[in-house]
Amino acid sequence: MNPAVTLPDYGAPAALKPTRLLTPEQIAFYHEHGYLSIDSLMPAADVAEVRKIYDRLFNEDSQRADGDLYDLTGAREAGKKISIPQILNPAKYAPELLATQMVANLKAMMKQLHGPETKMVGDHAINKPPHNAAPTPWHQDEAYWDPAKEYSSLSVWIPLQPATKQNGCMYFVPGSHKLDIVPHRPIGDNPLTPGLEVEPGAFDFSSAVACELPPGGATFHHGRTLHYTPPNNSEDYRRAYIAMGSAYERKLATPRRFPWKERQAAARAQHPSIKPAN
Ligand SMILES: O=C(O)CCC(=O)C(=O)O
């Protein structure tokens, strides 16, 4: 077996002790279905604290300098109107996020799900504007990553207001974490978009389940679980904070190829002004 890659832990060890943990039944559900939905990851007061930081970040320009604020569905071109604003690494701009009860709780839950060696390795924030017609299309997170490696990874998705079918809650295909990576393509078949979607017709999503949540609830999903969110058809922003966790990454003995990533890289090479996706 190839040695595991050493992963950096995201932020300092949480100063706070976790105040919520998953039950054995919830852990078993995650392993069977590849996702889990819980009504409360943190108390309401913490939701208000995180939401204040979140809204400040989306109103600041600091993250633009590094290109960390960009459109999930469109090419990363300066001055272009953003349809689904996303901030990569929000904790880089607001390190106080890492000192919240939210992060203490989610780190402890990640370890319960993928083992004690699991670290938080990154975060992002997707803030869908009111009456925004863009879904986050069906995808598996691993389709974005280096195909030469295998992963034990998961994400925690936390809404900062109610998440509903109307404003864009998470949908999952139960059991899809046991599949290989299904064929993907850049969103809208435009290789200059940083986002990916499952190739139309490559999968039947009729077994998908919607996970509506109160503010401060959470869904967890495995790096291979197929997931999607619908457009935001509400009057308010649909704010979600997302943390990524990983127990290990290992070089595969026989590397795979993800042609969709090769297309994106080739298109970007022709357009050096466009920033690469993460
Ligand atoms: O919030 C969204 O619209 C999508 C989130 C997502 O795809 C993820 O957390 O992996």
Side-chain angles (χ1 to χ4, degrees):
M1 182 170 291
N2 289 302
V5 175
T6 306
L7 298 165
D9 200 355
Y10 200 71
L16 297 171
K17 294 253 177 298
T19 54
R20 304 255 201 288
L21 286 173
L22 301 174
T23 64
E25 291 73 24
Q26 288 171 325
I27 296 168
F29 184 97
Y30 172 83
H31 288 296
E32 184 178 349
H33 299 290
Y35 77 96
L36 171 69
S37 179
I38 63 170
D39 278 350
S40 177
L41 182 128
M42 57 178 160
D46 294 288
V47 178
E49 180 193 354
V50 173
R51 189 168 151 154
K52 224 159 83 188
I53 302 170
Y54 190 99
D55 286 346
R56 195 193 76 219
L57 280 178
F58 275 97
N59 286 323
E60 275 177 359
D61 269 352
S62 56
Q63 55 282 3
R64 287 178 193 273
D66 285 4
D68 276 350
L69 174 81
Y70 72 96
D71 189 350
L72 183 67
T73 61
R76 301 178 87 176
E77 288 167 292
K80 189 173 168 287
K81 190 173 178 302
I82 288 181
S83 167
I84 302 185
Q86 170 168 225
I87 296 178
L88 295 180
N89 315 310
K92 182 164 109 187
Y93 306 101
E96 62 271 33
L97 278 171
L98 298 174
T100 57
Q101 195 63 56
M102 171 182 77
V103 167
N105 288 2
L106 72 83
K107 279 185 165 183
M109 291 177 185
M110 281 177 168
K111 287 182 193 293
Q112 287 185 284
L113 292 173
H114 275 236
E117 66 283 17
T118 307
K119 295 170 180 167
M120 179 176 166
V121 293
D123 64 347
H124 66 136
I126 302 180
N127 192 18
K128 285 195 180 182
H131 300 292
N132 181 284
T136 305
W138 284 106
H139 65 281
Q140 291 162 295
D141 292 335
E142 194 176 322
Y144 281 84
W145 304 339
D146 180 354
K149 293 180 186 169
E150 63 169 345
Y151 303 89
S152 171
S153 301
L154 77 165
S155 289
V156 189
W157 186 95
I158 301 164
L160 303 175
Q161 70 296 298
T164 63
K165 293 178 192 167
Q166 194 199 8
N167 74 357
C169 68
M170 288 283 261
Y171 284 64
F172 299 102
V173 176
S176 52
H177 63 310
K178 295 179 182 159
L179 302 174
D180 280 337
I181 303 304
V182 302
H184 284 65
R185 68 176 195 178
I187 292 177
D189 211 24
N190 173 1
L192 290 174
T193 58
L196 295 173
E197 62 188 6
V198 170
E199 188 76 53
F203 198 84
D204 172 6
F205 296 103
S206 55
S207 63
V209 293
C211 293
E212 296 196 306
L213 287 173
T219 60
F220 296 79
H221 67 270
H222 186 280
R224 286 198 173 188
T225 305
L226 282 158
H227 59 285
Y228 142 96
T229 66
N232 178 3
N233 287 315
S234 78
E235 302 293 326
D236 189 14
Y237 281 84
R238 195 240 49 193
R239 304 164 186 81
Y241 176 78
I242 301 141
M244 287 82 83
S246 179
Y248 63 78
E249 291 178 9
R250 292 194 192 110
K251 283 267 177 216
L252 284 166
T254 313
R256 302 167 289 178
R257 286 185 59 193
F258 288 166
W260 47 91
K261 283 182 68 82
E262 293 171 17
R263 273 186 71 203
Q264 285 177 319
R268 257 184 256 117
Q270 304 289 316
H271 294 82
S273 66
I274 295 176
K275 291 224 168 214
N278 56 320

